[in-house]
Amino acid sequence: MNELNQNNRNRGKPVFLYLIIILVLAFIWSNSMDNPGDSYQKSQKTLEYSLKIMNRLFGPEHYLTVFFTGHIRKIAHFAEYMLLGITVSSCMAFYGKIKIQHIYNSLSFAVITAVIDEYIQLYTYRGSSVRDVVIDFSGYFFGTVISAFIISLIVFIRLSLSKTK
């Protein structure tokens, strides 16, 4: 009976996770389709908003604020792919069968997605960069590691709680 309830609760989750993955991909690739002027304006607006927060937290001369100011676009690439890594690894964990082939497929998906992202930018006259592919992949990998850590922590806590009962 308990297994049946678990299956009913999990019925809609894979569709929801796939939808999130599709939305994150759409967000990433739609940003790549911006022309150089629109992309620059988005970066500037994001920078202005973020600098208000950074200045309050650290001050305008702090090295983190200065670094953030100079690397806003690269940080955005990293963050987009980190979110993608978290969603894909959460989807993989949902099925509970994470083998080396699944991890290889996931990392291959990250590289292919990043290459497509840069390829799209060729047609918007923004140019492409191998460095951006590396940054994108690093963000994806970091998101996967964060997700794996959180999932492992949840599993550990659940096992600890079930042993105490």
Side-chain angles (χ1 to χ4, degrees), residues 31 33-50 72-73 76 126:
N31 284 332
M33 291 180 195
D34 288 342
N35 65 47
D38 291 343
S39 178
Y40 178 78
Q41 285 179 344
K42 280 184 181 178
S43 295
Q44 286 306 111
K45 286 180 184 176
T46 303
L47 180 60
E48 289 170 13
Y49 179 75
S50 300
I72 185 71
R73 295 176 75 85
R126 289 175 41 202

Side-chain angles (χ1 to χ4, degrees), residues 17-152:
L17 290 171
Y18 286 128
L19 180 62
I20 291 174
I21 291 168
I22 290 168
L23 290 173
V24 171
L25 283 172
F27 176 74
I28 289 170
W29 288 337
S30 70
N31 284 332
S32 295
M33 291 180 195
D34 288 342
N35 65 47
D38 291 343
S39 178
Y40 178 78
Q41 285 179 344
K42 280 184 181 178
S43 295
Q44 286 306 111
K45 286 180 184 176
T46 303
L47 180 60
E48 289 170 13
Y49 179 75
S50 300
L51 275 179
K52 288 178 185 177
I53 295 169
M54 297 293 285
N55 285 335
R56 284 190 180 177
L57 290 175
F58 306 112
E61 301 299 320
H62 194 272
Y63 68 92
L64 286 175
T65 306
V66 173
F67 176 81
F68 190 82
T69 303
H71 297 89
I72 185 71
R73 295 176 75 85
K74 303 308 175 196
I75 292 169
H77 271 265
F78 187 88
E80 289 174 335
Y81 279 84
M82 183 176 70
L83 180 61
L84 184 63
I86 290 169
T87 56
V88 170
S89 60
S90 297
C91 190
M92 286 174 39
F94 173 79
Y95 289 107
K97 295 181 181 178
I98 300 178
K99 298 179 182 174
I100 196 72
Q101 184 64 44
H102 295 109
I103 294 168
Y104 174 75
N105 292 346
S106 174
L107 296 176
S108 297
F109 173 73
V111 171
I112 290 167
T113 303
V115 168
I116 291 171
D117 186 21
E118 293 304 309
Y119 189 73
I120 290 169
Q121 289 182 26
L122 284 174
Y123 292 98
T124 60
Y125 304 106
R126 289 175 41 202
S128 64
S129 165
V130 173
R131 181 177 57 182
D132 283 350
V133 172
V134 172
I135 291 169
D136 296 345
F137 180 80
S138 299
Y140 185 95
F141 185 78
F142 187 71
T144 301
V145 169
I146 288 173
S147 184
F149 176 76
I150 291 170
I151 291 166
S152 298

